[in-house]
Amino acid sequence: MADRTPLDGTFYERAAGLYDLVATAPGVRSWRVRAVDALDLSPGDTVVEMGCGTGANIPYLREQVGTEGRVIGVDLAGAMLRQAQARTERAGWENVSVVRGDATTPPVGTADALLATFVVGMLEDSTEAVETWLQCVGAGGRLALLNAGRSPRPAAMPLNLCLRLFVRLAAPGNRLRRRSPLRALEERWRRAREALFSETVDHREQRLGAGLVSLVSGRVPE
Ligand SMILES: C[S@@+](CC[C@H](N)C(=O)[O-])C[C@H]1O[C@@H](n2cnc3c(N)ncnc32)[C@H](O)[C@@H]1O
């Protein structure tokens, strides 16, 4: 892969350490546990995480697949991946690997399950990404998506404001900035969710974090 990527110069390349602090905060951790639970993993499974970032989900994925399973994280931002690699090395997980690559053309083979948290909103064609990921897991495999968007609850207005600021700070490229980055993110999420719901069975959906975070999952039919 070429060294230059669309994420060069973005928040994810410049502030991976700061991102990791937020990504591993106690409230956020509980969303990650729920997202991993939604995959119905078993010991020995192979699970891929697209846009794994600093590897904040890896401990929970690793716990579910055990020492016999495999966890593969994919991300485009070198700075984020370095944090994920350091986390893996510190813990001594030999069955975890992190790979630099584009989640829309995944550099991985088949898996039992696939996770993407706070990622689909960044992908221009989120429908196609979900369809590609469903092919990675194949029949019987499970896909779970977690994403943030504005909460409809009146009490969550301050949280909505924080989210708007974060998305504006983190959104890559000027193309996205022409419209509201948060609206673009929500539209991409809507399309990803729709693709997951139309192509899978055994759906589950939850709203977490005062309605700010959505978790959807489904299984590819046998
Ligand atoms: C908001 S962060 C989420 C990171 C992690 N999933 C988490 O839950 O903390 C979005 C991540 O997606 C990655 N990303 C964005 N577009 C990508 C792409 N096309 N391929 C791979 N990774 C991508 C970014 O580098 C960043 O690490």
Side-chain angles (χ1 to χ4, degrees), residues 7 12 19 32 51 53 75-77 80 101-103 117-118 122-123:
L7 297 177
Y12 297 108
Y19 179 86
R32 299 189 184 284
D75 203 286
L76 210 45
M80 299 291 270
D102 190 333
T117 62
F118 309 115
M122 294 183 67
L123 305 178

Side-chain angles (χ1 to χ4, degrees), residues 16-93:
L18 175 63
Y19 179 86
D20 193 53
L21 280 179
V22 178
T24 53
V28 182
R29 283 206 297 257
S30 70
W31 305 338
R32 299 189 184 284
V33 169
R34 301 266 201 116
V36 171
D37 280 351
L39 293 172
D40 291 348
L41 291 168
S42 303
D45 278 351
T46 294
V47 60
V48 172
E49 183 182 359
M50 295 300 180
C52 65
T54 60
N57 292 316
I58 292 178
Y60 312 106
L61 293 169
R62 169 66 174 57
E63 193 177 307
Q64 298 280 322
V65 301
T67 49
E68 303 303 311
R70 259 193 97 194
V71 180
I72 304 162
V74 176
D75 203 286
L76 210 45
M80 299 291 270
L81 273 184
R82 281 192 288 281
Q83 298 265 339
Q85 182 66 36
R87 170 166 274 121
T88 303
E89 283 170 13
R90 273 197 309 272
W93 294 318

